[in-house]
Amino acid sequence: MIIILKSGASDQQIDHVIRRVESMGLEAHLSRGTFRTIIGVIGDESQFQPDRFQVLPGVADVIRVLPPYKLASAEAHPQPSVVHVAGVQIGGGNLAMIAGPCAVESAERMESIAAAVRAAGANILRGGAFKPRTSPYSYQGMGEDGLKILRETGDKHGMPIVTEVMDPRRVELVERYADMIQIGARNMQNFVLLTEVGNTKKPVLLKRGMSATIVDLLMSAEYILARGNPNVVLCERGVKGFDTVTRNVFDVAAVPACKNLSHLPIIVDPSHATGRPDLIPACALAGVAAGADGVHIEVHDCPEEALSDGPQALLPEQYAEVAAQIRKMAELFGKKISNLAGSK
Ligand code: PEP
Ligand code: MN
């Protein structure tokens, strides 16, 4: 941390700042220049609250040297992290292919979609049992019955399952069924929920909030890591923009940006990012080209009957086509895909 003093700061003000630094068990190094005086602060930066120095008389600015997302930062862990989801590796050169319907709707529907995405090369099955809907009158999900169906279908097809939890009181329940817990975009800054999933050891798929910055996303990951759960996978799923042609703005630059800042794997979700089946394949491939560690795509075999996100669902045959392209791209970039069908 560096504290920059105002050009007219008095000796008394400088002394006061130094005493405040030392009272926090940190070391202060004073450096007087012709025009500016600065104080270098040495010690554990996590204990240091810049705001409390910013307000002191004579202080012009306070600059952090280390990022506030200490555990999530690339410095904390120079090698990329690999997250293990019941036999599927994500990150460190391993690509995840997550697919399934937006919501679990029935055992029959889940079975037909799972069989199709498995055959197409998906290695993790998704499906929401608790759905975050803008309207309280929209389909809210099957709850525990949906979790059971997802679990049974995943087991039948040899696929780990990922599903969303929205309520901290339901973490224990979802944890019992799921191999990976999803925190949806709308809950990215639900700090109570982040703390609860941080108390588990389950891999967490943390989706970027629709109005969250990249640093906000990393700070949310930090909440989970700080509780002792190192298994966090980030997800770029688009942010709000002014355009109405796409559902969100797919921020492909967030992928290499997160990779530069953090060791955590990051996947892309072109389904929610674009909201349009015709744009999903191009954005999926762009994500992989940008270095994503996985692609998350919603698939439905009868979108007109889908209870949520039907308009953005790929048909199974469309998924099979993009999955084949993703595999080619993975090969090009030397990425492995674990747990492919028939590869047990
Ligand atoms: C979902 O995965 O179905 C979902 C609701 O995603 P998001 O939180 O990214 O909108
Ligand atoms: Mn959805």
Side-chain angles (χ1 to χ4, degrees):
M1 186 87 48
I2 295 165
I3 301 171
I4 302 170
L5 296 147
K6 288 181 182 157
S7 50
S10 66
D11 285 352
Q12 231 178 354
Q13 288 172 334
I14 295 171
D15 273 357
H16 183 61
V17 176
I18 291 173
R19 267 184 278 115
R20 292 291 292 145
V21 169
E22 289 173 349
S23 73
M24 293 179 158
L26 301 162
E27 242 179 82
H29 289 264
L30 182 66
S31 164
R32 284 181 192 272
T34 314
F35 301 106
R36 281 280 196 227
T37 294
I38 63 170
I39 298 170
V41 181
I42 311 286
D44 183 359
E45 271 202 11
S46 65
Q47 304 306 312
F48 190 97
Q49 290 164 353
D51 288 358
R52 295 176 64 180
F53 287 88
Q54 191 76 60
V55 296
L56 295 180
V59 172
D61 208 356
V62 182
I63 300 168
R64 276 184 179 278
V65 176
L66 295 175
Y69 44 88
K70 193 174 158 187
L71 301 171
S73 72
E75 286 99 331
H77 196 287
Q79 292 305 313
S81 282
V82 180
V83 172
H84 297 259
V85 183
V88 173
Q89 279 102 59
I90 310 179
N94 299 282
L95 196 79
M97 307 250 299
I98 304 176
C102 182
V104 180
E105 299 170 358
S106 69
E108 297 70 34
R109 185 124 268 161
M110 201 63 226
E111 167 56 27
S112 62
I113 298 171
V117 298
R118 185 62 167 145
N123 59 5
I124 297 180
L125 185 63
R126 69 146 281 143
F130 297 100
K131 293 306 304 172
R133 306 308 298 276
T134 302
S135 164
Y137 310 116
S138 298
Y139 180 64
Q140 303 287 311
M142 291 181 77
E144 188 169 1
D145 289 343
L147 296 175
K148 283 185 187 152
I149 291 171
L150 187 63
R151 179 75 267 164
E152 280 165 18
T153 317
D155 286 346
K156 179 173 170 201
H157 293 278
M159 299 169 89
I161 58 169
V162 57
T163 195
E164 177 161 355
V165 66
M166 297 196 296
D167 183 336
R169 294 166 299 185
R170 295 240 170 85
V171 170
E172 199 266 327
L173 171 74
V174 173
E175 189 193 355
R176 250 187 285 140
Y177 290 94
D179 298 303
M180 183 178 218
I181 301 176
Q182 175 172 316
I183 299 292
R186 290 157 192 80
N187 271 312
M188 189 207 81
Q189 286 188 315
N190 180 337
F191 302 116
V192 178
L193 186 59
L194 297 175
T195 301
E196 275 308 311
V197 298
N199 286 337
T200 78
K201 284 281 179 279
K202 280 275 150 119
V204 177
L205 181 60
L206 178 63
K207 291 185 131 193
R208 180 179 180 184
M210 52 195 77
S211 301
T213 65
I214 289 167
V215 169
D216 290 338
L217 173 62
L218 295 172
M219 290 309 293
S220 289
E222 189 77 10
Y223 261 89
I224 301 168
L225 300 174
R227 297 304 304 178
N229 184 351
N231 306 306
V232 178
V233 175
L234 309 171
C235 178
E236 164 54 40
R237 49 78 71 206
V239 288
K240 287 266 183 219
F242 48 80
D243 213 315
T244 52
V245 170
T246 54
R247 183 174 176 185
N248 287 296
V249 179
F250 178 44
D251 182 5
V252 74
V255 174
C258 281
K259 290 212 162 279
N260 288 341
L261 298 172
S262 174
H263 57 92
L264 297 173
I266 176 163
I267 69 164
V268 290
D269 171 359
S271 296
H272 293 90
T274 65
R276 283 181 43 171
D278 57 330
L279 306 182
I280 291 170
C283 291
L285 296 175
V288 179
D293 300 298
V295 181
H296 169 286
I297 292 179
E298 286 186 351
V299 178
H300 202 286
D301 52 2
C302 187
E304 67 185 55
E305 285 177 13
L307 297 176
S308 79
D309 281 349
Q312 73 188 28
L314 285 192
L315 291 166
E317 54 271 29
Q318 292 172 319
Y319 181 70
E321 214 171 294
V322 68
Q325 292 172 339
I326 292 170
R327 276 199 300 279
K328 276 193 205 153
M329 202 121 167
E331 215 180 298
L332 190 68
F333 286 99
K335 294 219 167 162
K336 296 185 287 293
I337 304 176
S338 45
N339 186 39
L340 281 175
S343 71
K344 278 218 152 172

